[in-house]
Amino acid sequence: MRLRELRKEKGITMKELGKVVGLAESTISLYENNKRQADYETLLKFAEFFGCSLDCLLGRNTNSQPSTPILSDKDIMFALLDGDKYEEIPDEVFNEVKEFAQWIAEKKMREQK
C-alpha cells in the first residue's frame, strides 16, 4: 500500500513508475496489490526514486526522509579534497556542503519524474 501512496503523492502513473525503475506496469500493479513481493534491488530503486528509506517504503516508518544520506560523507570528501584531508575542513563548512549536495541529489530525483 505504501508504494501506491508514494506514487500518488508524486502524481505519476504505474506506467510512468515502471519506466523509471525498469518494470512493466503490470508488475507495479502486482506490487501495489500485494500479489507479488519486490526483491531487494527493486526496493532500493523505489526508495531511491521516492527519496525515502526502506523502512518508509515498507510501511514501518511514515517519515519519507531517507534514513541515510543519498551521498556518503566519503563521496563528498573525495569530491572536495580527494578524500584525504578530512580534518582540514571545519564541521560547519562540511555540513553546508553536505546539505547542498543532498539538495542537488533530491532535485535531480524530482526532475526525473
Side-chain angles (χ1 to χ4, degrees), residues 87-105:
E87 295 80 25
E88 294 180 23
I89 298 177
D91 286 344
E92 62 273 3
V93 172
F94 180 70
N95 287 334
E96 285 182 33
V97 170
K98 201 164 135 177
E99 287 175 17
F100 181 72
Q102 183 74 24
W103 179 81
I104 292 293

Side-chain angles (χ1 to χ4, degrees), residues 8-78:
K8 288 188 176 195
E9 283 175 17
K10 275 217 184 261
I12 61 173
T13 65
M14 285 187 270
K15 186 174 187 170
E16 291 169 327
L17 177 58
K19 280 184 180 181
V20 170
V21 295
L23 297 170
E25 179 181 359
S26 59
T27 303
I28 301 296
S29 177
L30 291 171
Y31 292 152
E32 287 189 2
N33 291 298
N34 293 317
K35 294 184 179 183
R36 184 173 177 181
Q37 298 288 321
D39 61 24
Y40 183 70
E41 296 293 322
T42 302
L43 290 173
L44 288 175
K45 287 179 184 178
F46 286 140
E48 183 177 332
F49 175 74
F50 290 115
C52 68
S53 67
L54 289 177
D55 278 346
C56 171
L57 189 62
L58 296 172
R60 294 180 181 171
N61 177 357
T62 57
N63 178 5
S64 63
Q65 295 299 316
S67 59
T68 57
I70 293 174
L71 299 172
S72 72
D73 289 359
K74 186 176 180 180
D75 292 336
I76 295 168
M77 291 309 302
F78 183 80

